[in-house]
Amino acid sequence: MKICAFDFDGTLTKKDTFVEFIRYVHGERKTITGFLLHLPLLLLMKLHLYSNQKAKQKVFSWFFRNMEIDRFNLLCKDFAHTNKQRLLRPAGIKRIRKALEEGDKVIIISASIDNWVCPFFDEFGDKIQIEGTQIEVKNGHLTGMFTTANCYGQEKVNRLKALYPQREDYYLTAFGDSRGDKELINYANKGYFKPFRD
Protein backbone atom coordinates (compact mmCIF):
# COMPACT_ATOMS: atom_id res chain seq x y z
CA MET A 1 0.00 0.00 0.00
CA LYS A 2 1.16 3.54 -0.77
CA ILE A 3 0.18 6.59 1.30
CA CYS A 4 0.71 10.24 0.38
CA ALA A 5 0.55 12.58 3.37
CA PHE A 6 0.32 16.31 2.67
CA ASP A 7 0.71 19.24 5.01
CA PHE A 8 -1.82 21.95 4.18
CA ASP A 9 -0.67 25.48 5.12
CA GLY A 10 2.28 26.58 3.03
CA THR A 11 2.51 23.23 1.25
CA LEU A 12 -0.82 23.03 -0.56
CA THR A 13 -1.62 26.69 0.08
CA LYS A 14 0.26 29.91 -0.62
CA LYS A 15 -0.57 31.44 2.77
CA ASP A 16 -1.35 30.39 6.33
CA THR A 17 -5.10 29.82 6.38
CA PHE A 18 -5.36 30.33 10.16
CA VAL A 19 -4.57 34.02 9.68
CA GLU A 20 -6.43 34.24 6.37
CA PHE A 21 -9.61 32.77 7.87
CA ILE A 22 -9.54 35.16 10.82
CA ARG A 23 -9.08 38.08 8.41
CA TYR A 24 -11.95 36.79 6.24
CA VAL A 25 -14.33 36.58 9.21
CA HIS A 26 -13.30 39.61 11.28
CA GLY A 27 -11.69 42.03 8.85
CA GLU A 28 -8.25 43.61 8.84
CA ARG A 29 -8.59 45.92 11.85
CA LYS A 30 -9.84 43.35 14.36
CA THR A 31 -7.35 40.76 13.06
CA ILE A 32 -4.43 43.13 13.66
CA THR A 33 -5.80 44.06 17.10
CA GLY A 34 -6.18 40.41 18.13
CA PHE A 35 -2.69 39.43 17.05
CA LEU A 36 -1.11 42.51 18.66
CA LEU A 37 -2.79 41.61 21.96
CA HIS A 38 -1.27 38.14 21.75
CA LEU A 39 2.11 39.27 20.41
CA PRO A 40 4.06 38.51 23.63
CA LEU A 41 2.76 34.93 23.64
CA LEU A 42 3.45 34.50 19.93
CA LEU A 43 7.02 35.74 20.38
CA LEU A 44 7.57 33.33 23.27
CA MET A 45 6.18 30.55 21.08
CA LYS A 46 8.64 31.41 18.31
CA LEU A 47 11.45 31.23 20.87
CA HIS A 48 10.13 27.80 21.99
CA LEU A 49 9.40 29.20 25.46
CA TYR A 50 5.64 28.80 25.21
CA SER A 51 3.54 25.94 23.87
CA ASN A 52 2.47 26.17 20.23
CA GLN A 53 -0.82 24.53 21.21
CA LYS A 54 -1.58 26.97 24.03
CA ALA A 55 -0.70 30.05 21.99
CA LYS A 56 -2.82 28.97 19.04
CA GLN A 57 -5.75 28.04 21.29
CA LYS A 58 -5.67 31.41 23.04
CA VAL A 59 -5.73 33.26 19.70
CA PHE A 60 -8.50 31.05 18.36
CA SER A 61 -10.55 31.52 21.52
CA TRP A 62 -10.20 35.31 21.43
CA PHE A 63 -11.65 35.43 17.92
CA PHE A 64 -14.26 32.64 17.97
CA ARG A 65 -15.35 31.72 21.52
CA ASN A 66 -19.17 31.61 21.85
CA MET A 67 -19.78 31.67 18.10
CA GLU A 68 -22.57 29.32 16.98
CA ILE A 69 -21.12 26.22 15.32
CA ASP A 70 -23.59 26.44 12.42
CA ARG A 71 -22.45 29.98 11.66
CA PHE A 72 -18.81 28.96 12.05
CA ASN A 73 -19.19 26.05 9.63
CA LEU A 74 -20.95 28.25 7.09
CA LEU A 75 -18.12 30.77 7.31
CA CYS A 76 -15.59 27.94 6.86
CA LYS A 77 -17.33 26.71 3.72
CA ASP A 78 -17.70 30.21 2.28
CA PHE A 79 -14.05 30.98 3.04
CA ALA A 80 -12.80 27.84 1.30
CA HIS A 81 -15.00 28.20 -1.77
CA THR A 82 -14.30 31.93 -2.11
CA ASN A 83 -10.52 31.62 -1.71
CA LYS A 84 -9.85 28.24 -3.30
CA GLN A 85 -8.33 29.55 -6.52
CA ARG A 86 -6.35 32.27 -4.74
CA LEU A 87 -4.86 30.11 -2.00
CA LEU A 88 -4.32 26.60 -3.36
CA ARG A 89 -1.14 25.70 -5.21
CA PRO A 90 -2.14 24.14 -8.57
CA ALA A 91 0.88 21.82 -8.59
CA GLY A 92 -0.13 20.45 -5.20
CA ILE A 93 -3.68 19.69 -6.29
CA LYS A 94 -2.30 18.09 -9.45
CA ARG A 95 -0.11 15.82 -7.28
CA ILE A 96 -3.14 14.82 -5.19
CA ARG A 97 -5.07 13.90 -8.33
CA LYS A 98 -2.11 11.84 -9.58
CA ALA A 99 -1.90 9.95 -6.27
CA LEU A 100 -5.62 9.15 -6.35
CA GLU A 101 -5.43 8.01 -9.98
CA GLU A 102 -2.62 5.63 -9.03
CA GLY A 103 -4.69 4.18 -6.20
CA ASP A 104 -2.68 5.73 -3.35
CA LYS A 105 -4.33 6.70 -0.08
CA VAL A 106 -4.24 10.49 0.39
CA ILE A 107 -4.19 12.14 3.81
CA ILE A 108 -3.97 15.83 4.56
CA ILE A 109 -2.42 16.31 7.99
CA SER A 110 -2.74 19.90 9.12
CA ALA A 111 -2.42 22.05 12.22
CA SER A 112 -5.34 24.08 10.88
CA ILE A 113 -8.91 23.48 12.00
CA ASP A 114 -10.71 20.64 10.22
CA ASN A 115 -13.80 22.76 9.69
CA TRP A 116 -12.22 25.06 7.12
CA VAL A 117 -9.68 22.62 5.67
CA CYS A 118 -12.28 20.05 4.56
CA PRO A 119 -14.30 22.36 2.25
CA PHE A 120 -11.18 23.07 0.17
CA PHE A 121 -11.37 19.43 -0.98
CA ASP A 122 -15.12 18.97 -1.48
CA GLU A 123 -14.53 17.95 -5.11
CA PHE A 124 -12.77 14.76 -3.94
CA GLY A 125 -15.61 13.58 -1.71
CA ASP A 126 -14.51 10.85 0.68
CA LYS A 127 -11.42 9.93 -1.35
CA ILE A 128 -9.26 12.15 0.86
CA GLN A 129 -8.87 11.89 4.62
CA ILE A 130 -8.40 15.09 6.63
CA GLU A 131 -6.55 15.01 9.95
CA GLY A 132 -6.46 18.44 11.56
CA THR A 133 -6.92 20.21 14.85
CA GLN A 134 -10.46 19.74 16.14
CA ILE A 135 -12.50 22.23 18.15
CA GLU A 136 -14.80 21.83 21.13
CA VAL A 137 -18.51 22.61 20.83
CA LYS A 138 -20.96 22.80 23.74
CA ASN A 139 -24.65 23.65 23.45
CA GLY A 140 -24.16 24.52 19.80
CA HIS A 141 -21.41 27.09 20.46
CA LEU A 142 -17.61 27.08 20.23
CA THR A 143 -15.89 27.05 23.60
CA GLY A 144 -12.62 28.29 22.12
CA MET A 145 -10.88 25.08 23.22
CA PHE A 146 -9.42 22.26 21.14
CA THR A 147 -10.49 18.64 21.65
CA THR A 148 -7.30 17.26 20.11
CA ALA A 149 -3.65 18.13 20.31
CA ASN A 150 -2.62 20.79 17.81
CA CYS A 151 -1.73 18.72 14.73
CA TYR A 152 1.87 19.94 14.55
CA GLY A 153 5.27 18.27 14.72
CA GLN A 154 5.22 14.82 16.35
CA GLU A 155 1.42 14.94 16.53
CA LYS A 156 1.31 14.52 12.73
CA VAL A 157 3.21 11.24 13.06
CA ASN A 158 0.98 10.21 15.97
CA ARG A 159 -2.14 10.73 13.86
CA LEU A 160 -0.69 8.66 11.02
CA LYS A 161 0.33 5.87 13.40
CA ALA A 162 -3.18 5.81 14.88
CA LEU A 163 -4.66 5.34 11.41
CA TYR A 164 -2.01 2.96 10.08
CA PRO A 165 -0.11 1.35 12.97
CA GLN A 166 1.63 -1.34 10.89
CA ARG A 167 4.45 0.78 9.43
CA GLU A 168 5.90 -2.10 7.42
CA ASP A 169 2.63 -2.42 5.48
CA TYR A 170 2.94 0.79 3.48
CA TYR A 171 5.28 3.11 1.59
CA LEU A 172 4.88 6.67 2.83
CA THR A 173 5.52 9.82 0.80
CA ALA A 174 5.24 13.07 2.77
CA PHE A 175 5.07 16.69 1.68
CA GLY A 176 5.73 19.63 4.00
CA ASP A 177 7.17 23.12 4.20
CA SER A 178 7.95 24.03 7.81
CA ARG A 179 9.39 23.01 11.18
CA GLY A 180 6.02 21.51 12.03
CA ASP A 181 6.43 18.93 9.23
CA LYS A 182 9.96 17.79 10.09
CA GLU A 183 8.90 14.70 12.05
CA LEU A 184 6.44 13.57 9.38
CA ILE A 185 9.02 13.98 6.61
CA ASN A 186 11.62 12.06 8.65
CA TYR A 187 9.08 9.28 9.26
CA ALA A 188 8.40 8.90 5.53
CA ASN A 189 10.15 6.67 3.03
CA LYS A 190 10.36 9.71 0.75
CA GLY A 191 9.93 13.31 1.88
CA TYR A 192 9.60 16.57 -0.03
CA PHE A 193 10.27 19.95 1.59
CA LYS A 194 8.65 23.04 0.09
CA PRO A 195 7.33 21.32 -3.04
CA PHE A 196 4.79 22.71 -5.51
CA ARG A 197 6.37 26.17 -5.67
CA ASP A 198 5.57 27.98 -8.92
Side-chain angles (χ1 to χ4, degrees):
M1 177 170 65
K2 291 193 294 182
I3 298 174
C4 288
F6 297 83
D7 167 56
F8 183 60
D9 291 290
T11 301
L12 293 175
T13 70
K14 299 170 186 174
K15 294 184 177 182
D16 185 313
T17 58
F18 184 69
V19 177
E20 291 295 305
F21 179 69
I22 291 171
R23 185 181 287 121
Y24 178 79
V25 173
H26 292 290
E28 195 72 29
R29 182 175 294 180
K30 187 171 181 180
T31 299
I32 291 171
T33 299
F35 276 95
L36 284 175
L37 286 171
H38 292 90
L39 189 59
L41 285 183
L42 296 173
L43 289 173
L44 287 172
M45 182 192 76
K46 289 292 185 184
L47 294 170
H48 306 290
L49 298 174
Y50 192 80
S51 160
N52 181 293
Q53 164 120 4
K54 289 180 181 178
K56 182 175 180 177
Q57 189 168 258
K58 283 182 181 293
V59 173
F60 180 82
S61 182
W62 193 87
F63 283 106
F64 297 108
R65 186 166 44 113
N66 294 326
M67 181 180 283
E68 291 182 356
I69 184 59
D70 289 344
R71 178 168 180 250
F72 183 77
N73 283 334
L74 183 60
L75 287 166
C76 288
K77 186 170 285 191
D78 289 346
F79 167 71
H81 293 171
T82 301
N83 291 281
K84 197 172 183 179
Q85 298 302 318
R86 180 177 72 89
L87 291 176
L88 291 181
R89 295 184 186 275
I93 302 307
K94 184 178 179 181
R95 182 64 181 84
I96 286 175
R97 289 199 178 97
K98 181 175 183 289
L100 291 173
E101 287 168 4
E102 293 177 354
D104 299 351
K105 290 190 178 296
V106 173
I107 304 172
I108 293 165
I109 303 182
S110 173
S112 276
I113 311 300
D114 279 0
N115 304 60
W116 72 70
V117 176
C118 290
F120 276 93
F121 303 96
D122 281 348
E123 66 179 284
F124 297 106
D126 61 359
K127 294 178 182 177
I128 290 180
Q129 184 155 4
I130 309 290
E131 285 289 322
T133 303
Q134 295 170 9
I135 53 176
E136 184 179 64
V137 178
K138 287 186 178 178
N139 300 318
H141 291 76
L142 276 64
T143 67
M145 305 296 285
F146 299 155
T147 59
T148 62
N150 185 31
C151 195
Y152 176 94
Q154 182 60 35
E155 178 63 15
K156 294 195 174 192
V157 177
N158 296 343
R159 297 285 186 96
L160 196 64
K161 285 181 174 179
L163 291 169
Y164 301 100
Q166 302 301 322
R167 183 64 184 86
E168 64 276 8
D169 288 350
Y170 58 90
Y171 184 95
L172 176 64
T173 304
F175 305 85
D177 81 303
S178 71
R179 167 64 188 85
D181 305 312
K182 181 181 176 183
E183 288 85 351
L184 182 63
I185 287 173
N186 288 342
Y187 187 66
N189 297 93
K190 181 71 175 177
Y192 294 91
F193 188 71
K194 293 189 176 180
F196 316 133
R197 298 302 199 258
D198 295 333

